[in-house]
Amino acid sequence: LSKRIPVPEGPQELTNLSSTFNTMLQELERQFEREKGFIADASHELRTPLTALRGNLKLLKRRGKDNPEIFEKSIASMDEEGLRMQRLISQLLELARSDHVQTKKIKVNVATVIQDAVEETWQDSNGISLTCEVDERIFVLGDIDQLRQVTVILLENAKKYTNTGGSVKIFAQQKGDHVEVSVQDSGIGIPEEDIPKIFNRFYRVDKARSRKTGGTGLGLSIAKQLVELHNGAIDVQSVEGKGSIFTVYLTSASTSQ
Ligand code: ADP
């Protein structure tokens, strides 16, 4: 791949063509490197729970029979690590799928998407209050399942990174020809230097906290990919120790019908 097509000293068209080819080659090389990095990261992330699983299995085999405490602890830990692998694999598949999936864009009611996402994420509030402020006449052009998925990711994160007693607010606003959907929390916030990296695959500010709450470091990269399939954008404003606000920008499909 590292071969380059020599630029001929000839007619301008040929020169242009070869430089276009070289640019394409460069892009392919970059893509290839990214894929390689992704596979390395994914393998590493999968190996961690697998190692823990095997460690517990060994312990169980050696000492589990005559020690009920070890038996219980190892089983619980294996259960957790198994779940973690399951979540990781389904998110990896999700990420791979959303790379080329088609979005079926229709007129979607934002309040309905939010309501569904709230039902999915807020059955157990963990002592965190949730308020919704959404005008029922707001519509966007989008794929209802994918938009719900993005909203679920943002709500789950708001819950994971906010301590008991905190609050989360979700709201939507019509702004000209686009709609902004925001999830605001009074949680732990994100250090300024980490903000540009949190949408990267597997990036986590605090691995221990993410791990404890069942995080994989893939949620925001999936959300970003899905939003981009809608030709939209996602951004975040955050103050460490105070909270964060994630905003998704989507194309409006008129306010009422
Ligand atoms: P994870 O599975 O770790 O939550 P994400 O891709 O969803 O992965 O998020 C990446 C990282 O961004 C998280 O590990 C966390 O450090 C940070 N983050 C995401 N959402 C929030 C939030 N609402 N408040 C504070 N930090 C957040």
Side-chain angles (χ1 to χ4, degrees), residues 17-18 30 48 68 70 91 103 109 114 122 154-155 191 198 203-204 229 242 245 247:
L17 195 64
S18 61
R30 266 199 293 270
T48 314
I70 287 185
Q91 287 203 315
T103 45
N109 183 250
I114 291 179
W122 233 267
L154 296 183
L155 281 173
I198 57 165
Y203 191 81
R204 281 160 283 185
L229 280 175
K242 287 220 152 57
I245 173 163
T247 303

Side-chain angles (χ1 to χ4, degrees), residues 27-39:
E27 184 45 47
L28 266 175
E29 258 173 7
R30 266 199 293 270
Q31 183 65 25
F32 189 61
E33 285 305 315
R34 271 200 295 268
E35 296 293 325
K36 263 191 358 199
F38 178 58
I39 290 171

